[in-house]
Amino acid sequence: MHEIAPTTARDHSVVFAPRIQDLLTRDGKVFRIDATTVGVSDCDLTARIVAARPVLSTERSVYKPAAGADIPHDSATRTIRALGQDVMAGIRTPPPPARGLSGGWPYAATSYLRRWLFASDPLPVSLLSKRGITRSDTLSRLVDRAVTAWPGSEAHGTSTVLAELIRGAAGTQERRQAIAMYRRATATLCDGVAALTGNALWLMGRTGRTGQPETDLTAALWETLRLLPPAWMLYRKGGGAYTGLHPEIRPEDNVALLPLLMHRHPDYWSDPLEFRPERWAGVADPEKTPGFMPFGFDGARCWAKHLVVPLAERLLTVALDHRLTIRAPRQDAPVPLRSLLSVRFEAEVGA
């Protein structure tokens, strides 16, 4: 049996939530998680499962139905393009004051990214991306209603393209869906990039250190996506399409695809538990590496994958340039059971 233990990276380690740790110590690449769920970390079987049927709209975090109806394909495409334009524009602008990165991670980084990329939007649209608003269902509903009734006046070219999609909606239903897409797209991007950047800072061992690390930041981010991928599990409902692919999968079973386990298995990686950014040196397209699926799988890849690493590298550069130092915990950081895998720690800029 190959036991996939917690990661130790230089002077740092992580403590996974018990249910994640239980998965990490399971034997085999196909195993039963509970009475109705089968876990899969086999690369070839995963590819066959993904190819067996298209992903359902309810299995997508951003494009699930909104305002009582499915999201039209052209609306989803416009959202992807708009978000890409907004992120590229944001990367080219000066970042907010770095003191905003002090505090509890990844939450400090999430709020920082929202200010960086979406603060130019007029009221009340800008409230859709405020973390204090998004944490409250009641406030979220009130803001949604306000934006539906009044999406803000023309901002003379300063608002984001995503906000303009709300203003340009052709009716109440279309506007409500545009609001839902704005909220989901901004949250998914900012939360994911914040988690990836925080995981990279922890793995790089930033406790009490100053100055730029010797590690190539792009390589460090790809290695972070291997060891601590924020998108650590993808869920597929109902095993009817998968029953012929493996005897463990029954028609009534759900399937959990587990990149976190795949990325740590010795069948696919040398020194699988070691943080080694140098393994990506000279790799032109990391996503073509066997056993590496940081942004999902063919036919259902992350819609913003082309934005995540460049934005995370920019945020990581800001953190390092301003000598962000991890203060607590000093040795073992918790990784709670959440939809995004992220290390929790306290940090301070300029310490």
Side-chain angles (χ1 to χ4, degrees), residues 30-200:
V30 182
F31 53 88
R32 182 158 295 280
I33 296 176
D34 56 38
T36 60
T37 308
V38 173
V40 176
S41 61
D42 179 88
C43 181
D44 293 334
L45 178 58
T46 293
R48 295 198 300 274
I49 288 173
V50 171
R53 68 160 173 81
V55 62
L56 304 176
S57 61
T58 54
E59 294 170 338
R60 295 181 180 272
S61 60
V62 176
Y63 302 133
K64 60 187 177 182
D70 289 338
I71 300 295
H73 182 269
D74 59 342
S75 176
T77 300
R78 285 196 300 270
T79 299
I80 295 171
R81 291 174 177 169
L83 185 65
Q85 291 176 260
D86 292 337
V87 170
M88 291 299 103
I91 288 177
R92 292 191 294 267
T93 63
R99 63 178 178 272
L101 292 174
S102 294
W105 277 63
Y107 306 118
T110 296
S111 297
Y112 185 87
L113 285 167
R114 289 173 186 263
R115 289 197 302 274
W116 191 353
L117 299 176
F118 305 107
S120 65
D121 287 335
L123 287 171
V125 173
S126 62
L127 297 177
L128 293 170
S129 63
K130 297 291 186 184
R131 186 168 179 270
I133 300 293
T134 60
R135 294 178 67 186
S136 167
D137 291 340
T138 300
L139 291 177
S140 293
R141 286 194 294 270
L142 290 174
V143 171
D144 285 358
R145 291 172 185 170
V147 179
T148 301
W150 180 62
S153 57
E154 188 172 356
H156 304 292
T158 62
S159 63
T160 64
V161 183
L162 274 178
E164 290 302 313
L165 293 182
I166 297 175
R167 287 189 66 256
T172 300
Q173 174 72 7
E174 186 175 319
R175 181 168 293 169
R176 286 173 176 168
Q177 289 203 326
I179 290 168
M181 295 293 279
Y182 180 104
R183 187 187 296 282
R184 293 174 188 175
T186 56
T188 300
L189 179 75
C190 293
D191 290 351
V193 170
L196 173 58
T197 306
N199 293 351

Side-chain angles (χ1 to χ4, degrees), residues 8-347:
T8 299
R10 300 176 188 178
D11 58 347
H12 278 83
S13 61
V14 296
V15 180
F16 292 101
R19 289 184 65 182
I20 301 176
Q21 179 58 35
D22 175 68
L23 295 175
L24 290 168
T25 56
R26 293 294 189 99
D27 192 13
K29 298 177 186 176
V30 182
F31 53 88
R32 182 158 295 280
I33 296 176
D34 56 38
T36 60
T37 308
V38 173
V40 176
S41 61
D42 179 88
C43 181
D44 293 334
L45 178 58
T46 293
R48 295 198 300 274
I49 288 173
V50 171
R53 68 160 173 81
V55 62
L56 304 176
S57 61
T58 54
E59 294 170 338
R60 295 181 180 272
S61 60
V62 176
Y63 302 133
K64 60 187 177 182
D70 289 338
I71 300 295
H73 182 269
D74 59 342
S75 176
T77 300
R78 285 196 300 270
T79 299
I80 295 171
R81 291 174 177 169
L83 185 65
Q85 291 176 260
D86 292 337
V87 170
M88 291 299 103
I91 288 177
R92 292 191 294 267
T93 63
R99 63 178 178 272
L101 292 174
S102 294
W105 277 63
Y107 306 118
T110 296
S111 297
Y112 185 87
L113 285 167
R114 289 173 186 263
R115 289 197 302 274
W116 191 353
L117 299 176
F118 305 107
S120 65
D121 287 335
L123 287 171
V125 173
S126 62
L127 297 177
L128 293 170
S129 63
K130 297 291 186 184
R131 186 168 179 270
I133 300 293
T134 60
R135 294 178 67 186
S136 167
D137 291 340
T138 300
L139 291 177
S140 293
R141 286 194 294 270
L142 290 174
V143 171
D144 285 358
R145 291 172 185 170
V147 179
T148 301
W150 180 62
S153 57
E154 188 172 356
H156 304 292
T158 62
S159 63
T160 64
V161 183
L162 274 178
E164 290 302 313
L165 293 182
I166 297 175
R167 287 189 66 256
T172 300
Q173 174 72 7
E174 186 175 319
R175 181 168 293 169
R176 286 173 176 168
Q177 289 203 326
I179 290 168
M181 295 293 279
Y182 180 104
R183 187 187 296 282
R184 293 174 188 175
T186 56
T188 300
L189 179 75
C190 293
D191 290 351
V193 170
L196 173 58
T197 306
N199 293 351
L201 284 167
W202 184 260
L203 290 173
M204 291 166 67
R206 294 297 302 164
T207 301
R209 300 182 184 180
T210 58
Q212 289 280 5
E214 296 179 0
T215 304
D216 175 76
L217 296 187
T218 304
L221 287 167
W222 285 113
E223 182 69 345
T224 300
L225 283 165
R226 185 185 70 82
L227 273 177
L228 293 176
W232 64 282
M233 187 268 285
L234 287 87
Y235 208 64
R236 292 293 178 264
K237 298 178 181 179
Y242 315 133
T243 53
L245 303 179
H246 194 278
E248 186 67 39
I249 304 175
R250 304 173 306 195
E252 64 271 21
D253 286 331
N254 299 314
V255 178
L257 306 173
L258 297 162
L260 177 64
L261 274 60
M262 187 188 306
H263 292 180
R264 293 162 166 260
H265 204 285
D267 283 1
Y268 305 125
W269 306 93
S270 61
D271 300 321
L273 304 183
E274 294 296 319
F275 179 67
R276 291 175 45 200
E278 61 273 12
R279 76 172 77 235
W280 300 104
V283 179
D285 188 350
E287 286 193 87
K288 291 184 178 179
T289 303
F292 186 54
M293 299 180 181
F295 296 114
F297 313 98
D298 289 337
R301 290 193 182 276
C302 172
W303 46 272
K305 73 182 188 70
H306 61 294
L307 306 174
V308 171
V309 173
L311 185 54
E313 185 171 350
R314 187 79 168 91
L315 180 60
L316 191 56
T317 299
V318 173
L320 296 174
D321 283 349
H322 290 84
R323 297 185 300 158
L324 184 115
T325 301
I326 295 171
R327 287 304 188 191
R330 300 302 296 259
Q331 187 72 35
D332 301 323
V335 179
L337 183 66
R338 297 287 189 274
S339 57
L340 285 176
L341 193 76
S342 57
V343 177
R344 302 300 203 255
F345 57 82
E346 294 287 329

